[in-house]
Amino acid sequence: MGSNVIKSTEEIVSCSDNGQHPLVYISLKPGSGQCQYCGQKFERTAPATVSPQGETRHAA
């Protein structure tokens, strides 16, 4: 799998490398995680919010 980091707003993500290894679930509670089979890295990000003026804002 690629060396890029997949960002997600979810607390738990899954990885199977498109069926190349067993499906595993990875907790991103600590902020990041990595697949034990293929090494894919995941990072938890804050969800974007929309202001009353319609502007998209990302939490810091």
Side-chain angles (χ1 to χ4, degrees):
M1 188 157 256
S3 62
N4 60 332
V5 176
I6 297 175
K7 297 184 180 198
S8 175
T9 58
E10 300 297 323
E11 194 171 272
I12 297 175
V13 295
S14 64
C15 184
S16 69
D17 197 10
N18 293 319
Q20 298 300 309
H21 64 67
L23 178 65
V24 294
Y25 294 93
I26 302 158
S27 172
L28 300 183
K29 281 184 181 182
S32 64
Q34 185 171 351
C35 178
Q36 61 187 352
Y37 288 99
C38 66
Q40 176 63 57
K41 294 179 182 179
F42 298 88
E43 182 179 296
R44 188 171 180 203
T45 60
T49 58
V50 178
S51 72
Q53 295 80 20
E55 302 168 339
T56 301
R57 296 182 180 174
H58 297 276

